[in-house]
Amino acid sequence: MRSERAAWTFVAPALVVLGVFLVLPVCAALLLSFTDFDIYALANLDNLRFIGLANYVDVLRTPLFWKVLANTVWFVVLALPLSLALSLGAALLLNSPLARFKGLHRTALFAPVVTTVVAVAIIWRYLFHTRYGLINYALSHLGIGPIDWLGDPHWAMPALVLFAVWKNFGYNMIILLAGLQAIPQDLYEAARIDGASAWRRFWHITLPGLRPVLLLVAVITIAGYFQLFAEPYVMTRGDPLQSTVSVLYLMYEEGFKWWNLGRACAIAFLLFALILVITRVLLRFARAKDERA
Amino acid sequence: MNSRMTKWIVNGLLVTGSVVTLLPLAWMLSASFMQPGEASHAPPPLLPAHATLANYRELFLRAGMGRYLLNSFLVAGTITLASLAFNLSAGYAFAKLRFAGRERLFQLVLAALLVPLQVAMMPLFLLMKWLHLVNSYGGVIVPALATALGIYLVRQYVRSIPDELIEAARIDGAGEWTIFLRIVLPLLKPMSVTLAVLTFLASWNDFMWPLIVLSDQAWQTAPVALAGLSREHVQDNELMMAGSVVTILPVLLLFLLLQRQYLQGLLLGSVKG
């Protein structure tokens, strides 16, 4: 088969790259998570031992793991509704027939998404400065005393949330905007003729029409926010009192600071099992609701 | 509520939203021209009293930012061009060419879309060490040469090209690569631009993997070097703002230039979930 051989010359390069640099490492990571691969094994592979599930048991017994898991979940719980509400609001405004300069506003609201997270994290670190930051300066006009955003364990994570939402809401806004534009206009026309108020039109036409898109956006956002890393790395280094260490941050430190690669792999698999379970449950929940409706 | 008032509210909210969103970026630009130490005053100054380029001079002459930006350009540029070649040819073959196991392999590519890259990072580092690619451009470039998302997007796009076009060329005796390069590739131009701008922005902004594989400063990309600098120069606000400006500017300009293509790609890519 001459054409079959030709076809392989098209796919082989890409498949080799994906196979060697993605599939192989993922499989190796699973194996590695069952070993005590550490700095001694890095020097000499004779020091490598198979230890079964010991890494997983160990990690699950470490209080720090539960703390960083709680930190990460807290971050997602705060950031997800805020991001969804803000992006839905922005999309509704941009979709309004009354809005002017739509292209300009869309670009402005989307701009943070394309910026480099490290660079904008540096800006926000100064915006959050207790004495010189613009945020406390603005709050002082509302009569709110200075908040030690990045130095107070109670405020550090909410500060990262504000930053992350600012950085990401434009992405969801674009997807929701496309979803809004796909809702047939005659539905609104019919509702208007029937005398339905703006609020009722939103509740009975917009939201149901947007449901699949909202679900998609929620799943993407949850998966993305669980991978919190660069924000605490630049803004807080996990401080104060380890209140902003995320699961990926812990994985990075275990793996590439202490060179416990086996443990780091176990942490990675635990995190991604969690993401998978949460997004699957969410999808199943939505589907079950669809069937009942 | 009358429609005139609604119009004021809608546009007022939009203007407020846009201004608040852009404020951090505007302040970054403004502070980057301030004298060293000027930004550290209460209340924080919004504009520099005497604009200066001193921070940029310091950044390029002493902190070596030029080198890091060059690293970023070389890495992101190479990844963009090379992955375009890999993804376009593979995506085309998955859409139009017949070979054994095509559907099963494509299912695998789709499955790869769901795999978070961080899981692969520990073994990937060992692999790179073994290949002597740690602390080299290759360490960042090679794993990014092909992406599941790129292959998927190209395949979806190519499926809209009619088979007759390709069949006609085949009957004329053209080889498969000639057909691809002469007939298919020109039709893929819009898709290629979209894919290129998505890839360039993603590789320029990428942080975690370059941080891991480029510990030697000489090879570091701009974001990795900037993160290092910001840990050393915690007090030098104005210098760090200049660093942020030069790191963000290339991607922001590219986005403004190719906004339509970028947003199109973003929407296509989001459907994968």
Side-chain angles (χ1 to χ4, degrees):
Chain A
M1 281 288 279
R2 210 177 61 92
S3 68
E4 166 120 11
R5 204 177 302 153
W8 278 105
T9 64
F10 281 84
V11 282
L15 290 182
V16 167
V17 170
L18 287 182
V20 175
F21 298 104
L22 184 64
V23 179
L24 182 73
V26 169
C27 299
L30 191 62
L31 289 178
L32 221 51
S33 74
F34 300 128
T35 71
D36 66 346
F37 199 110
D38 56 12
I39 196 153
Y40 301 107
L42 201 60
N44 185 349
L45 273 180
D46 291 338
N47 295 320
L48 185 68
R49 280 175 313 159
F50 178 79
I51 54 168
L53 289 171
N55 279 328
Y56 291 91
V57 174
D58 232 34
V59 168
L60 291 176
R61 276 202 190 138
T62 316
L64 182 62
F65 175 77
W66 292 101
K67 182 174 170 63
V68 305
L69 187 62
N71 290 344
T72 312
V73 170
W74 179 227
F75 174 82
V76 177
V77 165
L78 285 179
L80 179 72
L82 201 58
S83 169
L84 286 186
L86 211 58
S87 47
L88 181 60
L92 285 170
L93 287 174
L94 282 178
N95 196 44
S96 162
L98 300 170
R100 303 187 62 196
F101 305 111
K102 286 183 189 183
L104 218 58
H105 286 303
R106 194 187 57 181
T107 307
L109 294 168
F110 186 77
V113 177
V114 297
T115 57
T116 313
V117 60
V118 172
V120 285
I122 289 172
I123 308 174
W124 280 77
R125 203 174 68 186
Y126 292 118
L127 294 180
F128 279 126
H129 195 282
T130 317
R131 278 164 65 201
Y132 312 128
L134 278 177
I135 292 175
N136 273 350
Y137 178 62
L139 288 178
S140 71
H141 290 288
L142 302 175
I144 298 171
I147 297 173
D148 187 5
W149 287 101
L150 300 175
D152 183 333
H154 295 293
W155 284 110
M157 200 50 110
L160 293 194
V161 166
L162 288 179
F163 165 61
V165 168
W166 170 83
K167 173 90 177 69
N168 290 341
F169 83 93
Y171 183 90
N172 294 339
M173 174 191 82
I174 292 294
I175 299 173
L176 289 171
L177 186 59
L180 283 175
Q181 285 160 352
I183 298 174
Q185 278 304 310
D186 37 343
L187 286 181
Y188 290 104
E189 286 304 318
R192 206 167 292 147
I193 291 164
D194 288 347
S197 67
W199 175 247
R200 288 182 65 94
R201 289 199 300 271
F202 173 75
W203 199 249
H204 292 288
I205 301 174
T206 311
L207 266 191
L210 220 49
R211 241 177 69 90
V213 186
L214 268 172
L215 189 66
L216 170 77
V217 161
V219 167
I220 295 178
T221 310
I222 289 174
Y225 278 161
F226 262 108
Q227 298 175 30
L228 177 71
F229 173 70
E231 294 86 346
Y233 185 89
V234 175
M235 290 174 74
T236 59
R237 303 194 198 185
D239 283 334
L241 298 176
Q242 296 174 317
S243 61
T244 57
V245 180
S246 64
V247 179
L248 266 191
Y249 199 103
L250 183 71
M251 181 204 92
Y252 172 80
E253 294 219 312
E254 275 294 338
F256 299 101
K257 193 169 167 192
W258 312 115
W259 298 104
N260 293 324
L261 293 177
R263 270 181 75 117
C265 286
I267 294 171
F269 273 105
L270 285 173
L271 173 65
F272 293 113
L274 182 70
I275 295 179
L276 210 64
V277 167
I278 290 178
T279 51
R280 289 298 120 158
V281 167
L282 192 66
L283 288 172
R284 170 142 330 154
F285 179 71
R287 216 163 288 150
K289 224 174 153 189
D290 278 344
E291 276 160 19
R292 247 182 291 134
Chain B
M1 209 174 352
N2 64 33
S3 75
R4 232 181 110 138
M5 201 163 119
T6 321
K7 193 172 174 179
W8 273 101
I9 293 174
V10 164
N11 286 290
L13 283 173
L14 270 176
V15 170
T16 314
S18 294
V19 168
V20 171
T21 306
L22 291 182
L23 203 63
L25 298 176
W27 188 76
M28 159 190 76
L29 191 64
S30 169
S32 75
F33 294 114
M34 289 180 192
Q35 306 284 351
E38 192 181 343
S40 301
H41 281 99
L46 289 178
L47 290 169
H50 303 282
T52 170
L53 286 173
N55 301 311
Y56 288 94
R57 218 171 292 135
E58 166 97 8
L59 192 65
F60 282 94
L61 295 181
R62 302 262 294 280
M65 198 65 194
R67 169 81 200 230
Y68 306 133
L69 287 171
L70 180 72
N71 288 345
S72 269
F73 269 112
L74 288 174
V75 166
T78 313
I79 289 176
T80 304
L81 291 179
S83 76
L84 206 54
F86 280 59
N87 290 338
L88 283 174
S89 55
Y92 164 69
F94 274 119
K96 293 292 183 193
L97 301 180
R98 285 176 200 293
F99 52 93
R102 182 177 87 166
E103 296 315 310
R104 199 164 301 152
L105 276 172
F106 188 67
Q107 292 301 317
L108 272 177
V109 172
L110 287 182
L113 273 176
L114 301 173
V115 178
L117 297 175
Q118 289 90 340
V119 171
M121 280 179 184
M122 279 66 70
L124 194 57
F125 179 82
L126 296 176
L127 180 62
M128 288 299 160
K129 200 162 128 51
W130 185 65
L131 292 170
H132 298 287
L133 287 176
V134 172
N135 283 320
S136 76
Y137 294 144
V140 184
I141 294 170
V142 173
L145 283 177
T147 58
L149 180 62
I151 295 172
Y152 167 79
L153 289 180
V154 174
R155 175 182 177 267
Q156 298 310 99
Y157 190 85
V158 171
R159 275 151 68 97
S160 65
I161 296 173
D163 281 333
E164 292 77 27
L165 220 61
I166 298 162
E167 277 308 321
R170 224 169 255 155
I171 289 163
D172 288 345
E176 292 298 334
W177 277 96
T178 317
I179 296 173
F180 176 66
L181 294 173
R182 291 269 168 79
I183 296 167
V184 178
L185 215 48
L187 296 172
L188 292 183
K189 210 181 253 167
M191 185 72 227
S192 311
V193 176
T194 297
L195 207 52
V197 58
L198 281 179
T199 313
F200 189 89
L201 262 66
S203 6
W204 182 281
N205 289 338
D206 195 13
F207 179 62
M208 196 171 180
W209 176 245
L211 174 74
I212 288 168
V213 84
L214 304 174
S215 50
D216 184 346
Q217 286 199 339
W219 304 102
Q220 283 178 355
T221 56
V224 177
L226 195 65
L229 283 176
S230 85
R231 287 184 162 203
E232 281 170 36
H233 298 255
V234 183
Q235 300 304 324
D236 303 332
N237 298 357
E238 302 77 15
L239 177 72
M240 291 319 303
M241 288 308 134
S244 294
V245 169
V246 295
T247 305
I248 293 173
L249 210 57
V251 275
L252 207 54
L253 288 179
L254 190 69
F255 165 69
L256 291 177
L257 212 65
L258 296 168
Q259 188 177 170
R260 202 168 48 85
Q261 285 86 344
Y262 181 86
L263 293 178
Q264 213 165 28
L266 186 152
L267 285 175
L268 289 172
S270 74
V271 189
K272 75 176 192 191

